[in-house]
Amino acid sequence: MKRNPVIVVAGLVAALSLAVTGCASGAPATSAPASTAGTSAAPAADREYKVGISQYVSHASLDAARDGFKEALADAGLKVTYDEKNAQTDAATNTTIATTFASADLDLVLAIATPSAQAAAQAIADTPVLFTAVTDPVAAKLVASADAPGANVTGTSDMNPVAEQIALIKKLKPEARTVGIIYSSGEVNSEVQVAAAKEAAAKEGLEVVERTITTTAEVQQAANALEVDAIYVPTDNNVVSALESVVQVAETKQIPLVVGEGDSVAKGGIITYGLDYTKLGYQTGEMAIKVLKGEAQPATMPVETLKDLKVYVNKAAAERMGITVPADLLDGAEVVG
């Protein structure tokens, strides 16, 4: 029997229509291989990130911040390849690191300490930059404001409770009338702390005697030149890198040395009221995780500070400087060194 050609064509069209509909609804196509959708971009869980770390100098606090940052990313299960560079206080090297990172294929840059953060902020425009161990990011012109950074840069501040630290001098040596402060003349974070220290010292009846340096090699001479009742060292990168020189002077002159953070207490300072740089770095790492996962942008991430402050005491250092630490300061303090 002859079939009507129109009917045959209509039947074929209907069959094809059903086949297409079946594939669209998710029915497996028997001739197709295993799914290759999405192979051009690995799932987030399998992605490996590239992070550049620019560190201004090696010393205990900055090293701790770096380690805390990496620990946070590891705890989050992120696979990260690090490109770590250290300027060792050399300005030209610091700038070179920043410009190198600007053209590198990086997902994020961590800048440790104010000079490194400033160089990174000036050179890098298209990659997220997070900073840590920066005292005053607004004064350093890293962000428009702490609440609304406004560009590709944000991070964590290590602003010290300077007034409380200066007050420790009178508790250690009530008769003290003068305090010497050694700091780098060109480091913004130090200038901010020294200004705060002067204000606090005036309220405590202390006269501030300043000695400025430009390199670590000048620290010992600056310390030796001080004729004061006590010494205060803020979180100045050059001075902290050569803290042993200041410790030696304080021990020789039998005067108390109050410092800006816990690691400097472990290195020979008597006492501080300050923060844990490992925790500060870890907190910065938690911010980085949000950026890397696309959950936040630096422009709208407020600068964060560490609220977990405590008293750190080195009793052995106090003995070497001829100082007795009052019992009320030891109560609840973390004894180090």
Side-chain angles (χ1 to χ4, degrees):
M1 183 176 71
K2 254 182 172 181
R3 295 189 181 179
N4 188 324
V6 175
I7 295 174
V8 171
V9 171
L12 289 171
V13 170
L16 286 170
S17 177
L18 285 171
V20 171
T21 303
C23 289
S25 66
T30 56
S31 60
S35 175
T36 58
T39 54
S40 60
D46 297 330
R47 180 176 174 183
E48 185 167 309
Y49 298 95
K50 297 178 182 178
V51 174
I53 298 180
S54 174
Q55 184 169 330
Y56 184 59
V57 66
S58 293
H59 64 66
S61 298
L62 301 189
D63 293 348
R66 178 200 62 212
D67 294 344
F69 176 88
K70 294 170 72 174
E71 183 183 349
L73 271 61
D75 286 349
L78 270 62
K79 299 176 182 177
V80 183
T81 297
Y82 293 100
D83 184 357
E84 299 184 47
K85 299 185 185 300
N86 195 311
Q88 297 297 6
T89 74
D90 185 79
T93 303
N94 191 42
T95 300
T96 299
I97 293 170
T99 54
T100 300
F101 281 171
S103 58
D105 182 21
L106 298 172
D107 296 297
L108 184 140
V109 171
L110 171 68
I112 306 176
T114 300
S116 289
Q118 288 175 314
Q122 291 168 7
I124 302 170
D126 300 322
T127 303
V129 175
L130 263 64
F131 57 76
T132 191
V134 169
T135 300
D136 191 336
V138 177
K141 299 182 179 179
L142 297 174
V143 296
S145 73
D147 292 330
N152 64 315
V153 181
T154 190
T156 57
S157 167
D158 66 347
M159 184 63 188
N160 286 316
V162 175
E164 288 85 346
Q165 292 172 349
I166 292 294
L168 291 170
I169 294 170
K170 297 291 278 193
K171 292 183 178 180
L172 294 176
K173 192 172 183 179
E175 69 275 18
R177 293 293 178 265
T178 56
V179 54
I181 302 180
I182 308 168
Y183 68 99
S184 299
S185 56
E187 203 165 316
V188 175
N189 67 304
S190 300
E191 293 170 352
V192 169
Q193 291 177 80
V194 171
K198 286 180 178 179
E199 183 179 345
K203 294 178 180 178
E204 296 290 338
L206 290 166
E207 176 189 349
V208 173
V209 179
E210 300 175 49
R211 290 289 182 271
T212 60
I213 55 101
T214 56
T215 69
T216 55
E218 299 171 1
V219 172
Q220 185 165 15
Q221 182 179 356
N224 280 324
L226 289 171
E227 295 297 334
V228 291
D229 298 319
I231 299 175
Y232 172 66
V233 172
T235 57
D236 181 289
N237 293 298
N238 285 317
V239 181
V240 171
S241 295
L243 189 66
E244 292 82 358
S245 299
V246 187
V247 170
Q248 183 181 14
V249 169
E251 290 178 358
T252 300
K253 296 187 176 183
Q254 293 288 280
I255 56 176
L257 171 60
V258 175
V259 292
E261 37 75 38
D263 291 310
S264 290
V265 175
K267 289 174 66 175
I270 291 180
I271 194 169
T272 193
Y273 183 70
L275 52 84
D276 183 324
Y277 274 78
T278 301
K279 290 182 179 179
L280 185 71
Y282 195 98
Q283 187 169 326
T284 315
E286 291 176 324
M287 295 176 71
I289 292 164
K290 294 177 183 178
V291 173
L292 291 172
K293 289 185 174 182
E295 299 171 356
Q297 296 292 329
T300 54
M301 294 180 76
V303 174
E304 298 184 11
T305 57
L306 191 66
K307 301 300 183 183
D308 184 16
L309 303 175
K310 63 173 66 176
V311 176
Y312 296 85
V313 175
N314 187 326
K315 295 198 316 185
E319 290 176 7
R320 290 193 294 269
M321 295 173 198
I323 300 296
T324 301
V325 180
D328 64 318
L329 290 180
L330 289 172
D331 186 26
E334 181 170 330
V335 178
V336 298

